[in-house]
Amino acid sequence: MKEPSAIKAVATDRRVAAVIVAAGRGERAGQAEGPKQYRRIGGRAILAHTLETFLAHPQVGQVVVVIHGDDQELLRKAIGDNLERVAIVTGGPTRQDSVRLGLLELVAQAPDRVLIHDAVRPFCDADLIDRVIDVIGANQGALPALPVADTLKREGRDGTIGETVPRAGLHAAQTPQGFPFRPILEAHERAHQAGRSDFTDDAAIAEWARIPVKIVAGSPDNVKLTWARDIAMADQRIHGERSNFPDIRTGNGYDVHAFEPGDHVMLCGVAIPHDRKLSGHSDADVGLHALTDALLATCGAGDIGTHFPPSDPQWKGAASRLFVEHAARLVRTHGGRIANADITLICEAPRVGPHREAMTAALSNMLGISPERVSIKATTNEKLGFVGRQEGIAAIATASVVYPGEVPE
């Protein structure tokens, strides 16, 4: 994965926001190495892993990170400075108050739905987020949870077993918990005004405010890192996944754009002077569009139109590097490492050769891989077809990505 400063993302749905609660001190994990959300697993801060998952999710727009007032420098070291969609808020004395302050930060944006997640659950995945978002209604929240499997005992006053608690219908709550934005904000404000600070999670506040909360299937992997041992095991898990037999996947992409009046074309992130330009809703960079599809194909994430619909006005004139960077982040979120990117541009003009070095550098930067892992080629169509008649440019892209796999039996 790239360094923390590279964590960026582009959302396709601004109606869903997220509040990541990272203001705790984490005393149970020990303080020698700082608050647990900044401890490193797999070479990166726990908070960085958590944040990347939400920033990479296509339905999540604004993300608020609520931190302790003393942790500004820790946050900067953990996730860097280049975070366009992240708002930083100083939390309160309790988790409950920190969530309230995080929700208040979203008032101006007024999203339809909000996800509230503990920073120290770094193994939350896109499927779990999908399940929560799908269940949130106009006046209904969603709680990911797992049925309790252990036999439960209530301790008596003398330290012996007082009774065995029936576990039927009991669930262990997880995050992200999802709610319609306005009702959960109002519930938090009412609790604050009433002097109630004893709620252990947001679903409890919703219950108190008579907001129905539907249980959805949680994930056994979505563990909360509470103790120092939990953090050590999480680090071993990531390193173990990386050492498993690799799952190598190859994705292909194809795109074509017609010419229209203009003075330059965008190809592989480089503006090339020309007597025409390519027609498209974004900057019409045919090479980057094909590469975006190739990267998305390696993790079954649909195509470029799924994430950046041409009908959405926010992408009008957008730089296509945003699309490639988003696809690369999705690959990394799924544990993938980009091994190679190969693009063939098919056109009679302009000449690509003089610009190949600049294109290679641009793609190396977008993908976070070395230049020797980038290949850009060009060919003509021997004056045949629409390309041969110089009516447009086509591109074919191939991406090879290494994902963690299981050791074969």
Side-chain angles (χ1 to χ4, degrees):
M1 292 186 180
K2 294 178 72 175
E3 289 302 308
S5 60
I7 300 175
K8 295 187 294 181
V10 177
T12 61
D13 189 343
R14 301 289 177 179
R15 296 170 299 174
V16 180
V19 173
I20 309 298
V21 189
R25 298 292 81 194
E27 286 85 355
R28 285 177 288 182
Q31 286 289 298
E33 300 175 36
K36 61 186 176 182
Q37 59 269 34
Y38 301 105
R39 307 282 184 86
R40 299 175 78 83
I41 59 173
R44 301 170 64 222
I46 292 169
L47 176 57
H49 289 275
T50 302
L51 187 58
E52 185 169 61
T53 299
F54 283 83
L55 287 172
H57 195 283
Q59 291 193 74
V60 176
Q62 182 69 44
V63 176
V64 175
V65 179
V66 187
I67 67 169
H68 191 277
D70 296 338
D71 293 349
Q72 291 285 348
E73 182 62 18
L74 286 173
L75 179 71
R76 187 192 66 78
K77 290 180 179 179
I79 63 177
D81 300 315
N82 194 10
L83 289 166
E84 300 156 356
R85 284 175 37 232
V86 175
I88 310 301
V89 173
T90 300
T94 65
R95 181 192 185 279
Q96 180 180 324
D97 204 42
S98 292
V99 172
R100 182 181 68 86
L101 294 169
L103 293 172
L104 287 172
E105 179 68 19
L106 292 168
V107 168
Q109 183 186 354
D112 293 338
R113 293 164 287 179
V114 63
L115 304 171
I116 303 170
H117 186 66
D118 294 324
V120 290
R121 289 186 185 268
F123 297 118
C124 172
D125 59 27
D127 289 340
L128 178 56
I129 294 173
D130 286 340
R131 291 198 294 274
V132 173
I133 291 175
D134 288 346
V135 166
I136 302 172
N139 190 43
Q140 175 180 278
L143 169 71
L146 294 174
V148 172
D150 295 326
T151 298
L152 301 177
K153 305 290 185 180
R154 178 173 284 114
E155 183 180 357
R157 292 183 178 180
D158 61 355
T160 61
I161 295 173
E163 64 173 318
T164 298
V165 180
R167 66 189 180 199
L170 294 181
H171 290 75
Q174 297 183 335
T175 66
Q177 297 176 10
F179 306 93
F181 174 69
R182 185 58 60 179
I184 194 62
L185 172 60
E186 292 174 354
H188 266 277
E189 288 285 64
R190 283 175 49 204
H192 178 67
Q193 292 164 9
R196 292 289 305 271
S197 60
D198 55 331
F199 296 104
T200 56
D201 71 354
D202 303 286
I205 292 181
E207 180 185 356
W208 172 76
R210 299 187 183 279
I211 300 171
V213 179
K214 187 175 180 62
I215 292 176
V216 300
S219 168
D221 293 331
N222 185 31
V223 294
K224 185 176 182 180
L225 306 185
T226 302
W227 306 95
R229 176 175 172 79
D230 298 334
I231 297 171
M233 292 177 67
D235 186 54
Q236 292 172 7
R237 168 180 168 178
I238 291 177
H239 285 300
E241 288 174 350
R242 290 176 179 172
S243 66
N244 283 343
F245 191 82
D247 175 7
I248 301 174
R249 306 179 194 176
T250 300
N252 295 310
Y254 173 81
D255 196 33
V256 60
H257 283 278
F259 281 123
E260 65 179 15
D263 60 5
H264 74 280
V265 294
M266 289 297 300
L267 291 176
C268 295
V270 176
I272 301 176
H274 193 50
D275 58 2
R276 287 171 290 175
K277 70 174 184 176
L278 291 173
S279 174
H281 187 62
S282 62
D283 64 5
D285 191 323
V286 65
L288 296 190
H289 291 186
L291 179 59
T292 299
D293 275 349
L295 289 167
L296 293 172
T298 67
C299 54
D303 60 16
I304 190 170
T306 304
H307 299 263
F308 306 96
S311 59
D312 190 334
Q314 70 175 307
W315 308 124
K316 184 174 178 59
S320 295
R321 68 175 296 130
L322 295 174
F323 309 157
V324 172
E325 289 171 347
H326 175 69
R329 278 188 296 275
L330 282 178
V331 165
R332 292 195 298 272
T333 299
H334 285 80
R337 291 180 293 117
I338 300 170
N340 175 259
D342 179 23
I343 299 175
T344 300
L345 300 169
I346 309 168
C347 59
E348 303 296 326
R351 290 185 60 205
V352 170
H355 308 280
R356 183 177 286 110
E357 185 175 348
M359 293 177 177
T360 299
L363 277 165
S364 173
N365 183 57
M366 291 178 218
L367 300 174
I369 59 179
S370 56
E372 64 266 22
R373 294 183 179 275
V374 175
S375 171
I376 298 172
K377 307 184 297 296
T379 185
T380 70
N381 220 35
E382 299 292 341
K383 301 189 182 301
L384 299 175
F386 72 90
V387 172
R389 295 191 297 269
Q390 298 191 43
E391 296 173 2
I393 296 178
I396 299 171
T398 302
S400 297
V401 179
V402 181
Y403 289 90
E406 297 181 358
V407 177
E409 296 181 359

